[in-house]
Amino acid sequence: MTRSGEKSLINLADDIVHQLEQHYLKTKSKTIHPLGRSYALLLDSMKDADLDGHEIVHRVQDILNRVKIQENAGNKNVSINPHINNSALNTLTLHSHNNAIASKAVQDIISESTSQLDHVSYSIAIKSILSSNKWFDVVDKTTGVTTAQAIENIFVQMKNRGLGNPNRKTMTPILHSLSKEGNSDEILHVLEWMEDMYQNWGWDNIRPNHYHFNTMISALARNLNDEKSIRSGYIAVQILDKMKELYNNGNAEVRPDLVTYNAVLHVISKESGFQHTKKNQCGSDIGERAEGLLRRMEDGEEGEHISPDIFSYNAVLSAYMNCLAPDAASKAQTILQRMNEKDVQPDLLSYTICINTLAKSKAQGSAQNAEDLLRVLENAYADGCEELKPDVKCYNSVIYAWANSKEYNGIKRANQILSEMDALRKSGKRPDLIPDAVSYTNIISALAHDSNSKNIQHTQSIIDNMFSMMNNENDQEIQFDSAVYNALIYAQSKQSGSAEKALMLLNYMLDGDSKSKVRPNTITFNSVIDALSKSKERGSSARAEEVLNKMQQLHELGHKDIRPDTFSFASVLNAFANSDAADAAKKAEDILQHMHQLHMNGNDSVRPNTVCFATVIKAYSRSRQMGSAQRAEEILKWMFEVYKAGNQEVKPNTIAFTSACEAWSRSGSDDAVERVEGLINWMKELSNRGYKDIKPNEYTYNSLLTAIARSKHPDKADRALKIVDFMQSDPNLTENIFNYNNVLLACAYTHGTPADRFNALKVAIVALE
């Protein structure tokens, strides 16, 4: 019950213990009574409890008091022993972060002279102090005691209780906490503090040694998970320098060894990997920093006992693999060559890292260099070197290198490498060399983004071949996951006229009798809908809606990986907006209404957004049905209502307004000009009120010019020219050829008196000039 995490079950367990307590107090039964473990479990169950500081402390103290009552009543199975106290301390410590009440309760238990404690108790108390205080923080404002002094006091208490001097286990929470914090000043000061404790108290096991330092450096590598850790490589080097300083000052136990240096190199390489994920960070110097330390190790500058090994070189290779330097690949190749010169035989990891670095490089020839290293491994393995047997990861990196190389035959060469893998597997020479999802997605993703029109036929040939492999019932070894299918469908969507093939692949996945054991997910369905929405094939919009309905149906049947989302609906809306069907706009509006209702009923995954509304307005702007312009403007007004009601995702913008203007300009309505002018005035009013995303642009005014050109106003030529003159005077507007074409159309189709037509001719001449 206590381990269930369910509050009701934990309370029930507490009630049972209460009943056992009452029974023992009344009967002194030797068989029915609470056990010490019962209380420890109750204390442990509160670690994840959602309670405030007062309630946690109250609950812990209540349980400890109940233990004392049982102990005083003669229950020999219950006592306030170190195990019970440690459970209480652990629970309080987990709640002590920014919780002064829980922190004080920990100190009260530790300071109580009658408390039964052990080394673990004091380690927990130290952890409590460090969880809510930095090394130089004042823990007790009344006494001015700092974190360092508080921990020193704990060590003295521990010694006075006869538990001996602090040891490595006692120091572990301090070292890990400071390394996780990543504050170099605090780390270096605590090392000096440890030396002071040795000098002041003679505590040998607390004096800094290479174990303490290596623990801190290793912890830095494990905690590269936030912004504070970006400079961990620098901190590791500072710790190494401190080690050398203390060693030179007479502490022989702190002499850095090869483990220390490799740990520092490892931190630097990991730091580069962390920085590589940060778009606003540049880790281009990290490889050079790692190599600089490696060179000093090679040249004996770090001591004759420090000679780099395979781990040292691989760490530097990793730094170059992860860093952003443009010459990282060539530097990695140089290090690989240098390893042989230094009699350090590169292992499979060395080659794999170097191949990965080349695969990421944009330099000309990198893909070929990656393939050359793969051939080195193949030849070594053929000569009997089992340790250099290239695995699937090596081949995948070379495939990636060619597929993304931008070279003329890159994708073709990547496909050939994949075929080589398959041939080696089928021949029995390398039965373990089974292409995986990464093998295929590397090529498929490159195909999808290949903009070279000359490759379209070749691209489709590769896609068709992969689909054939998927459908091969005789080959059960190659397994494709959803990522492969999704990538393949995405690639199909990029090929002209391939929406039907994307739909066929989806149906293949849905077919329970097919070889595919992978079932589609939301991404799969969305990719197919997106392909259909961009297709020019007749009936694509209807099929996109059918796929959306299928998604909804499967979700309702319990398929948790399939659920329509905003993108699903937006793609179907786009399909109808691009459709020539007479009822396309009405269909789009019905889908938007359904989407809005689902969201209002609590389905937040289909929250309509600006794009959805703007797409429906666009659909009406392209519609030739009577009343489409009026409906477009009504959708725009509805959009405002939804936005004002609290859906911030439906913020009206210039695109939505311009589409409504286009709807009126194409409507042929007698008041089209006035309706467009009304929308533009509304836009200006909203812009002045602070709506930054709403402001008439050249396309908006072009809609007005179109409406004027198609109107029957006798002075439409003058009106059109005035609008162009206004656009020229506004620095935020740039007139274009369409604007002038509309002016000329207004002139050409001016009717009325001979004077009106003559004036239109003069306007046309001015426009042409």
Side-chain angles (χ1 to χ4, degrees):
M1 291 181 181
T2 56
R3 293 177 180 175
S4 67
E6 295 288 338
K7 189 174 181 179
S8 59
L9 292 178
I10 293 172
N11 289 337
L12 179 58
D14 198 11
D15 289 341
I16 292 173
V17 175
H18 263 298
Q19 293 176 24
L20 290 172
E21 289 171 347
Q22 296 303 315
H23 180 79
Y24 179 78
L25 292 175
K26 290 179 181 179
T27 65
K28 304 295 182 180
S29 172
K30 295 182 179 180
T31 56
I32 302 177
H33 50 72
L35 300 173
R37 179 170 170 75
S38 307
Y39 295 100
L41 290 171
L42 287 176
L43 289 165
D44 291 340
S45 70
M46 290 190 291
K47 289 179 182 178
D48 300 320
D50 186 17
L51 302 171
D52 62 29
H54 286 284
E55 193 169 357
I56 281 290
V57 172
H58 174 74
R59 293 281 294 273
V60 169
Q61 290 176 342
D62 176 64
I63 292 174
L64 292 178
N65 287 334
R66 287 157 56 186
V67 172
K68 289 179 181 178
I69 291 171
Q70 287 290 308
E71 185 178 14
N72 293 335
N75 186 348
K76 296 181 179 180
N77 298 281
V78 177
S79 65
I80 300 288
N81 55 35
H83 180 61
I84 294 289
N85 276 326
N86 290 344
S87 293
L89 289 168
N90 256 323
T91 297
L92 292 168
T93 295
L94 288 172
H95 291 271
S96 64
H97 182 63
N98 295 328
N99 189 334
I101 300 172
S103 297
K104 185 177 183 305
V106 170
Q107 297 307 311
D108 288 344
I109 294 174
I110 290 293
S111 302
E112 175 61 46
S113 60
T114 60
S115 296
Q116 295 188 40
L117 306 171
D118 57 15
H119 281 94
V120 175
S121 312
Y122 288 96
S123 293
I124 297 171
I126 293 170
K127 184 179 178 182
S128 172
I129 294 173
L130 293 172
S131 69
S132 54
N133 299 282
K134 295 190 175 184
W135 193 250
F136 297 111
D137 284 353
V138 175
V139 179
D140 189 338
K141 293 182 180 180
T142 60
T143 62
V145 172
T146 64
T147 300
Q149 291 169 331
I151 292 176
E152 181 179 353
N153 292 339
I154 286 178
F155 286 159
V156 173
Q157 289 178 38
M158 186 173 71
K159 181 181 179 182
N160 293 337
R161 283 181 180 267
L163 294 175
N165 298 331
N167 53 32
R168 290 181 180 180
K169 288 184 179 180
T170 318
M171 291 304 302
T172 298
I174 301 177
L175 300 177
H176 281 276
S177 177
L178 290 173
S179 299
K180 187 174 182 179
E181 184 69 23
N183 187 316
S184 58
D185 289 336
E186 289 201 359
I187 290 174
L188 296 175
H189 275 93
V190 77
L191 292 170
E192 293 175 355
W193 174 82
M194 291 165 67
E195 180 68 19
D196 290 341
M197 291 300 98
Y198 164 73
Q199 298 294 341
N200 295 339
W201 296 93
W203 294 336
D204 291 333
N205 288 329
I206 202 175
R207 190 181 194 189
N209 56 37
H210 71 278
Y211 168 82
H212 294 130
F213 281 91
N214 291 349
T215 298
M216 280 194 171
I217 296 170
S218 298
L220 284 171
R222 289 194 298 272
N223 290 299
L224 280 168
N225 56 5
D226 54 36
E227 295 288 351
K228 294 181 295 186
S229 303
I230 289 177
R231 296 186 67 257
S232 289
Y234 290 102
I235 297 171
V237 172
Q238 287 179 312
I239 294 174
L240 174 61
D241 290 341
K242 191 66 178 179
M243 288 181 78
K244 290 188 279 189
E245 177 190 330
L246 292 174
Y247 174 70
N248 292 332
N249 288 337
N251 187 350
E253 295 295 321
V254 82
R255 185 186 191 188
D257 55 15
L258 184 56
V259 174
T260 312
Y261 280 88
N262 285 346
V264 172
L265 289 171
H266 182 59
V267 172
I268 296 173
S269 69
K270 292 263 289 188
E271 176 191 333
S272 64
F274 180 78
Q275 288 204 24
H276 185 67
T277 65
K278 299 292 178 182
K279 294 182 179 179
N280 62 334
Q281 298 290 341
C282 179
S284 59
D285 69 324
I286 297 172
E288 294 180 0
R289 283 164 44 207
E291 186 177 0
L293 179 57
L294 177 69
R295 283 192 178 278
R296 293 197 300 274
M297 293 167 67
E298 289 176 331
D299 297 340
E301 295 179 22
E302 299 298 324
E304 295 181 358
H305 66 295
I306 302 297
S307 180
D309 60 6
I310 186 66
F311 299 103
S312 315
Y313 285 99
N314 284 348
V316 178
L317 286 172
S318 294
Y320 275 121
M321 178 182 69
N322 290 320
C323 82
L324 306 177
D327 60 347
S330 61
K331 291 288 185 69
Q333 285 181 283
T334 302
I335 289 174
L336 196 65
Q337 295 170 0
R338 207 160 79 222
M339 291 174 72
N340 289 312
E341 297 171 2
K342 299 291 183 179
D343 294 326
V344 179
Q345 179 63 44
D347 59 9
L348 181 60
L349 180 60
S350 311
Y351 282 99
T352 302
I353 295 172
C354 200
I355 290 172
N356 285 337
T357 309
L358 287 162
K360 294 180 180 181
S361 174
K362 296 180 181 179
Q364 188 73 21
S366 293
Q368 185 60 59
N369 290 336
E371 183 178 342
D372 291 343
L373 288 180
L374 176 64
R375 302 307 177 200
V376 170
L377 291 173
E378 288 178 334
N379 293 334
Y381 175 63
D383 291 339
C385 184
E386 185 73 25
E387 292 79 12
L388 294 181
K389 176 181 176 182
D391 56 15
V392 173
K393 291 181 180 179
C394 292
Y395 282 88
N396 285 349
S397 293
V398 176
I399 290 172
Y400 179 88
W402 277 116
N404 294 276
S405 66
K406 306 299 182 184
E407 296 190 25
Y408 176 74
N409 65 336
I411 295 179
K412 181 179 179 180
R413 189 74 196 111
N415 194 46
Q416 289 172 344
I417 300 291
L418 178 62
S419 298
E420 285 182 26
M421 290 178 68
D422 199 40
L424 286 169
R425 176 183 65 88
K426 289 179 178 178
S427 68
K429 294 179 180 178
R430 289 292 307 276
D432 60 308
L433 202 60
I434 303 172
D436 59 13
V438 177
S439 313
Y440 291 94
T441 52
N442 280 341
I443 297 178
I444 297 169
S445 297
L447 290 173
H449 294 93
D450 185 16
S451 59
N452 189 344
S453 59
K454 296 180 181 180
N455 290 341
I456 289 179
Q457 185 175 358
H458 175 63
T459 296
Q460 192 60 54
S461 173
I462 294 175
I463 291 175
D464 290 342
N465 179 58
M466 288 188 176
F467 181 76
S468 176
M469 292 175 66
M470 291 177 176
N471 204 28
N472 185 357
E473 298 288 346
N474 296 321
D475 194 344
Q476 299 294 328
E477 287 187 314
I478 298 180
Q479 298 294 326
F480 299 95
D481 63 10
S482 59
V484 177
Y485 285 93
N486 292 343
L488 193 54
I489 289 172
Y490 178 74
Q492 287 281 15
S493 72
K494 296 295 181 180
Q495 299 299 307
S496 177
S498 294
E500 281 298 321
K501 290 186 178 180
L503 185 57
M504 181 176 64
L505 191 53
L506 172 63
N507 291 330
Y508 174 76
M509 295 176 72
L510 290 169
D511 182 6
D513 296 328
S514 70
K515 177 191 172 185
S516 172
K517 296 179 181 178
V518 179
R519 292 295 170 253
N521 55 26
T522 297
I523 296 174
T524 317
F525 276 91
N526 282 351
S527 296
V528 174
I529 294 173
D530 185 50
L532 289 166
S533 74
K534 296 172 181 175
S535 174
K536 297 180 181 180
E537 299 170 18
R538 185 174 295 276
S540 294
S541 56
R543 285 194 290 275
E545 185 180 14
E546 290 172 2
V547 175
L548 177 64
N549 292 336
K550 184 68 174 179
M551 282 184 80
Q552 186 64 43
Q553 177 188 355
L554 291 172
H555 176 68
E556 291 173 356
L557 289 174
H559 294 266
K560 296 181 180 180
D561 292 335
I562 302 173
R563 183 176 188 176
D565 56 18
T566 298
F567 183 84
S568 316
F569 278 89
S571 296
V572 176
L573 292 173
N574 189 52
F576 279 109
N578 293 325
S579 172
D580 293 329
D583 62 343
K586 181 63 171 63
K587 279 277 191 181
E589 182 183 350
D590 291 343
I591 291 170
L592 180 61
Q593 291 277 8
H594 176 58
M595 185 183 185
H596 176 67
Q597 192 58 51
L598 287 173
H599 177 245
M600 294 300 292
N601 291 339
N603 187 350
D604 202 50
S605 64
V606 294
R607 178 193 293 263
N609 58 24
T610 299
V611 173
C612 296
F613 276 85
T615 302
V616 175
I617 296 172
K618 173 188 171 185
Y620 274 113
S621 76
R622 298 183 74 250
S623 175
R624 297 179 181 178
Q625 297 297 304
M626 187 70 68
S628 292
Q630 180 65 44
R631 196 67 201 130
E633 186 171 340
E634 289 171 357
I635 297 293
L636 180 64
K637 291 177 180 177
W638 177 36
M639 186 179 185
F640 256 95
E641 291 174 4
V642 174
Y643 175 67
K644 289 180 178 179
N647 186 352
Q648 298 298 309
E649 299 296 321
V650 188
K651 190 175 184 179
N653 61 11
T654 298
I655 295 174
F657 270 90
T658 300
S659 292
C661 290
E662 289 175 353
W664 279 114
S665 71
R666 297 170 181 172
S667 68
S669 176
D670 291 340
D671 63 343
V673 175
E674 289 72 21
R675 301 302 289 264
V676 174
E677 287 178 334
L679 287 171
I680 290 177
N681 289 333
W682 187 17
M683 293 177 74
K684 290 179 179 178
E685 177 191 346
L686 291 170
S687 179
N688 291 334
R689 284 165 49 190
Y691 285 81
K692 297 180 180 179
D693 296 328
I694 301 176
K695 191 173 185 178
N697 60 20
E698 50 267 32
Y699 300 102
T700 316
Y701 283 105
N702 195 57
S703 297
L704 177 57
L705 288 168
T706 301
I708 292 172
R710 294 181 178 185
S711 73
K712 297 178 181 179
H713 293 285
D715 63 340
K716 61 183 180 181
D718 281 328
R719 294 180 68 173
L721 186 61
K722 286 180 181 178
I723 291 172
V724 172
D725 289 341
F726 167 74
M727 293 177 67
Q728 288 178 333
S729 66
D730 190 333
N732 296 317
L733 297 173
T734 304
E735 66 271 23
N736 54 46
I737 188 64
F738 301 106
N739 305 143
Y740 287 98
N741 283 346
N742 274 320
V743 173
L744 294 175
L745 285 172
C747 296
Y749 290 98
T750 294
H751 302 289
T753 66
D756 292 332
R757 293 196 296 273
F758 181 72
N759 182 64
L761 177 60
K762 290 194 295 182
V763 170
I765 294 172
V766 172
L768 288 172
E769 290 177 346

